[in-house]
């Protein structure tokens, strides 16, 4: 397999990992939150783990292969789709560290303590993150403002 194809394979798989986990959270979070208690606590503990480890690995691979693809294929760093991709990865990193990890931990603690499990804001930010990922995918597929 050509170097380009391997890079593209890992790049697409990394984007799929990010998007797939987001979609899973959007579907399952309301279901777990309604159950409350230990069930919701375990779910939100797991989402915190995703934010701290899983998304970091997916984002790292996505960014690294993106940079290598730009170099390999000779696209300009000023290409619109490159800027969108870098921006979405940066926003995703900030959201993971600053919002998803601490919010997942807080919701887990609240659920285990028998408190309310209001996941509405969590779901809103997850939906925003998902729209950003889909926008980046569209930018890549369409090669927005591609330059060489």
């Amino acid at each position: 397999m050509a170097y380009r194809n391997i890079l593209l394979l890992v790049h697409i798989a990394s984007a799929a990992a990010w998007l797939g986990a987001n979609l899973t959270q959007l579907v399952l979070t309301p279901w777990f939150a309604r159950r409350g208690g230990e069930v919701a606590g375990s779910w939100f503990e797991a989402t915190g783990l995703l934010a701290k480890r899983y998304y970091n690995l997916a984002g790292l691979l996505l960014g690294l292969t993106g940079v290598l693809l730009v170099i390999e294929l000779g696209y300009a760093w000023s290409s619109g789709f490159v800027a969108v991709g870098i921006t979405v990865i940066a926003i995703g990193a900030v959201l993971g560290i600053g919002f998803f990890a601490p919010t997942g931990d807080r919701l887990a603690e609240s659920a285990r303590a028998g408190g309310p499990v209001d996941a509405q804001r969590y779901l809103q930010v997850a939906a925003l993150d998902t729209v950003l990922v889909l926008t980046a995918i569209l930018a890549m597929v369409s090669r927005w403002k591609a330059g060489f």
Side-chain angles (χ1 to χ4, degrees):
M1 220 188 310
Y3 175 65
R4 172 204 166 272
N5 291 348
I6 292 169
L7 289 175
L8 196 53
L9 171 70
V10 175
H11 194 68
I12 292 169
S14 300
W18 185 350
L19 180 60
N22 276 16
L23 294 174
T24 299
Q25 287 190 67
L26 288 170
V27 170
L28 292 180
T29 294
W31 189 83
F32 278 104
R34 281 192 302 273
R35 275 140 187 83
E38 183 59 32
V39 172
S42 293
W43 172 254
F44 286 109
E45 181 181 359
T47 66
L49 179 64
L50 286 171
K52 294 170 193 163
R53 299 217 178 119
Y54 177 86
Y55 284 105
N56 289 339
L57 179 58
L60 177 68
L61 288 172
L62 189 63
L64 178 62
T65 55
V67 165
L68 294 173
L69 280 164
V70 169
I71 292 167
E72 175 71 14
L73 300 175
Y75 285 106
W77 290 102
S78 60
S79 296
F81 73 94
V82 173
V84 170
I86 291 169
T87 301
V88 169
I89 289 172
I91 291 170
V94 169
L95 288 176
I97 294 165
F99 178 79
F100 288 110
T103 301
D105 292 345
R106 183 180 51 74
L107 289 170
E109 289 175 25
S110 178
R112 287 190 170 121
V117 183
D118 183 5
Q120 189 61 35
R121 184 159 184 251
Y122 185 94
L123 288 166
Q124 290 169 344
V125 177
L128 171 64
D129 187 65
T130 303
V131 168
L132 292 172
V133 172
L134 288 169
T135 301
I137 291 170
L138 177 61
M140 299 295 151
V141 170
S142 302
R143 285 185 246 148
W144 289 353
K145 297 188 179 184
F148 291 94

